[in-house]
Amino acid sequence: MIDPAQQSRTYEVRTYGCQMNVHDSERLSGLLEDAGYVRADGGEQADLVVFNTCAVRENADNKLYGNLSHLAPIKRERPGMQIAVGGCLAQKDRGTVVKKAPWVDVVFGTHNIGSLPTLLERARHNEKAEVEIKEALDAFPSTLPARRESAYAGWVSISVGCNNTCTFCIVPSLRGKEVDRRPGDILAEVHALVDQGVSEVTLLGQNVNAYGVNFADPDLPRDKGAFADLLRACGRIEGLERVRFTSPHPAEFTDDVIDAMAETPNICPQLHMPLQSGSDTVLKDMRRSYRSTKFLGILDRVRERIPHAAITTDIIVGFPGETEEDFQATLDVVEKARFSSAFTFQYSIRPGTPAADLPDQVPKQVVQERYDRLIALQERITLEENRKQVGRRVELLVALGEGRKDAATKRMSGRARDGRLVHFAGSTDIRPGDVVEVEITGAAPHHLVADGGVLSHRRTRAGDNVEASITPVTAPVGVGLGLPPVGRPAPAVEPAATGCSTC
């Protein structure tokens, strides 16, 4: 039952970090709206501000506490305003949050996001901060309602947690061991999104190609072909035009997944394959259970089966003990791999990880100099690979907010099937969510340009929904892990109106 006092309470969720956090924030929004909250309009100060935090970056703590400090005087002037902190940093810092920021009302962890409405009510009633950090998962995120951010693209979680022990990564200690959703629950959620006009789905997991470990039942053996089977099953969903996934792990990436990608038309020719380092010595110290030769072999097999695949990666510069020879090995692999783009990071100590205690921490100035060289190399390769796209006809899913300079250039933006960002000369009848075909006329390191006009334009149900400011609302899918229901029951999802269709 909804508290009448909450009927007009507004909320805002501020998200930091990875796609997992973005998806969790959709769930938090769904929970809050289920409990009677209303999303605050842009520019309006919300009655509730929720921070969904990340703990991966070195400055994550400073960023959070700085933002909390800015809200302190606002809260003093607004009786009844509440502030909640969740996510990975909350899981790590626990009670430290309210010690550093005593004006925070609720702190919750990665394992109990479904508790937020109850904790808010309890904090309001008791007039004191509520801190609840659980060590085990209450429920899959997807067993909770969601208010989706996009009318045309949706995240679908296939697993949570990670069984790897990479020495630089704090995620396993904050997200826990891997637990997989059953295929039927995943496919039901995908169907629910497609029924509401969504045309692109991204399957999410810390290590998606390890999917099938236990399906939430430790007594069940791992199904090693489960992820490839899941991809093929997505290929049979009518109306689902694009499927992406992130992120796989090189150690467990198998040929049956490559075959499923190549043989399933709606699986996008895009692969994010984290390298982290090209040095076998550093990979060993990182506890990455593959070596550079195996990594490059995977890329060769992907390109043999999917010649136009765009492959992206993650790379860490300056891991403890990294020598100039080790770094050169990374540059060598990057040159051979020909990544379409790379997410590059300077190593930073994360307390609680094994790497934090390793000797031979690389001096900051050395890390910066190596980082600059890596960026220069990857930007050259990206531009060279992008120039190869000039003259190609590509299909774009028109995007909202992807082109920051679109207003000045009079262009629109969209994503090609291989994930590349394309700015194109559009027209007023084209909406985000629609599908267009263009010919690439120019290239830059971070995007492509198509200034020759639109060759074809297909209006879609997603575009209709964008025009009407409608985003999907998905009800809980699947079986939880013991979490009691919160708030009012989720409404039945009506099909959208008929129309034309990283570790």
Side-chain angles (χ1 to χ4, degrees):
M1 182 175 179
I2 305 170
D3 181 349
Q6 289 178 214
Q7 287 281 5
S8 60
R9 288 179 64 81
T10 59
Y11 78 91
E12 174 192 0
V13 180
R14 301 184 186 181
T15 309
Y16 305 92
C18 66
Q19 297 97 327
M20 285 287 189
N21 273 20
V22 174
H23 184 46
D24 283 351
S25 289
E26 291 182 331
R27 300 292 170 186
L28 290 168
S29 296
L31 282 162
L32 292 170
E33 293 188 6
D34 231 29
Y37 291 80
V38 177
R39 175 170 290 195
D41 293 331
E44 173 190 2
Q45 178 56 58
D47 299 312
L48 165 66
V49 179
V50 182
F51 290 87
N52 189 11
T53 64
C54 172
V56 172
R57 296 297 188 90
E58 186 176 19
N59 65 350
D61 307 57
N62 294 336
K63 190 169 188 178
L64 169 66
Y65 293 114
N67 286 327
L68 289 175
S69 296
H70 292 154
L71 284 180
I74 297 174
K75 186 180 179 186
R76 283 195 297 269
E77 297 173 2
R78 290 175 61 94
M81 179 182 175
Q82 289 187 295
I83 300 171
V85 178
C88 290
L89 192 59
Q91 187 80 22
K92 178 177 76 73
D93 282 4
R94 301 168 184 259
T96 303
V97 176
V98 292
K99 289 179 182 177
K100 290 186 175 181
W103 53 93
V104 169
D105 298 276
V106 170
V107 180
F108 62 102
T110 59
H111 298 309
N112 62 316
I113 65 175
S115 302
L116 178 60
T118 299
L119 293 172
L120 289 166
E121 179 59 29
R122 194 185 301 161
R124 187 180 300 112
H125 180 271
N126 296 336
E127 297 184 340
K128 70 180 186 68
E130 294 291 332
V131 179
E132 182 176 286
I133 305 293
K134 294 199 172 181
E135 300 301 329
L137 195 67
D138 265 348
F140 281 106
S142 298
T143 62
L144 305 172
R147 185 193 194 280
R148 302 288 179 160
E149 294 295 325
S150 171
Y152 52 84
W155 309 104
V156 175
S157 176
I158 71 170
S159 65
V160 292
C162 183
N163 292 340
N164 293 313
T165 58
C166 302
T167 56
F168 58 82
C169 187
I170 199 170
V171 169
S173 65
L174 302 179
R175 292 277 181 176
K177 292 291 186 181
E178 180 174 334
V179 182
D180 297 329
R181 292 178 72 198
R182 291 182 179 274
D185 295 341
I186 296 167
L187 296 173
E189 184 175 348
V190 175
H191 273 287
L193 288 169
V194 173
D195 286 345
Q196 296 179 80
V198 167
S199 53
E200 176 178 301
V201 161
T202 300
L203 305 177
L204 284 180
Q206 300 296 153
N207 180 6
V208 291
N209 53 306
Y211 176 73
V213 169
N214 53 41
F215 296 135
D217 184 346
D219 295 327
L220 288 177
R222 175 178 175 184
D223 178 358
K224 293 186 178 180
F227 185 57
D229 291 343
L230 180 63
L231 292 177
R232 292 182 187 277
C234 287
R236 295 190 288 271
I237 296 177
E238 186 176 353
L240 179 58
E241 299 190 24
R242 296 183 175 192
V243 179
R244 305 186 193 277
F245 59 88
T246 191
S247 290
H249 191 291
E252 296 176 283
F253 197 78
T254 49
D255 288 349
D256 63 333
V257 173
I258 299 174
D259 292 340
M261 292 176 66
E263 296 165 7
T264 309
N266 65 356
I267 306 297
C268 291
Q270 175 191 12
L271 178 65
H272 185 73
M273 184 64 67
L275 170 64
Q276 307 302 3
S277 175
S279 163
D280 290 349
T281 299
V282 173
L283 289 172
K284 181 179 179 181
D285 291 341
M286 289 178 167
R287 290 187 197 154
R288 301 285 289 180
S289 47
Y290 58 87
R291 299 297 177 257
S292 58
T293 300
K294 178 173 182 174
F295 183 92
L296 291 169
I298 293 171
L299 271 52
D300 288 342
R301 294 197 299 279
V302 169
R303 286 174 171 141
E304 181 180 355
R305 297 284 278 122
I306 314 168
H308 294 297
I311 301 175
T312 58
T313 197
D314 296 330
I315 301 172
I316 296 172
V317 178
F319 187 80
E322 181 189 74
T323 65
E324 179 60 29
E325 182 180 20
D326 293 324
F327 179 67
Q328 184 59 51
T330 295
L331 297 180
D332 293 342
V333 172
V334 169
E335 189 72 70
K336 294 174 183 175
R338 309 296 297 178
F339 298 117
S340 61
S341 66
F343 298 91
T344 52
F345 307 91
Q346 297 185 34
Y347 173 78
S348 61
I349 294 175
R350 302 312 294 148
T353 62
D357 299 321
L358 289 176
D360 301 324
Q361 299 285 332
V362 182
K364 172 65 177 175
Q365 64 271 24
V366 175
V367 177
Q368 182 65 55
E369 188 273 338
R370 290 176 182 170
Y371 178 80
D372 292 343
R373 286 157 58 196
L374 175 61
I375 291 292
L377 171 62
Q378 182 56 53
E379 290 212 344
R380 171 177 65 77
I381 292 171
T382 299
L383 180 57
E384 290 170 355
E385 293 302 309
N386 279 354
R387 283 173 173 163
K388 295 177 183 177
Q389 309 304 310
V390 174
R392 286 188 61 200
R393 292 171 63 127
V394 297
E395 176 196 271
L396 305 181
L397 178 58
V398 182
L400 178 65
E402 292 266 27
R404 297 177 184 175
K405 298 180 181 178
D406 282 354
T409 61
K410 308 300 183 185
R411 293 185 179 118
M412 302 183 74
S413 298
R415 291 281 173 180
R417 294 185 63 83
D418 65 6
R420 286 183 167 93
L421 178 63
V422 181
H423 304 307
F424 66 97
S427 58
T428 55
D429 63 325
I430 299 174
R431 299 89 47 91
D434 285 351
V435 175
V436 300
E437 187 178 23
V438 298
E439 181 176 312
I440 303 302
T441 59
H446 304 292
H447 65 267
L448 299 170
V449 174
D451 278 341
V454 173
L455 303 176
S456 68
H457 169 212
R458 175 161 53 88
R459 295 173 69 86
T460 67
R461 295 173 59 200
D464 296 341
N465 288 340
V466 171
E467 198 167 41
S469 299
I470 297 171
T471 55
V473 177
T474 46
V477 178
V479 180
L481 302 176
L483 179 72
V486 176
R488 66 173 182 254
V493 176
E494 296 291 338
T498 303
C500 305
S501 114
T502 80
C503 268

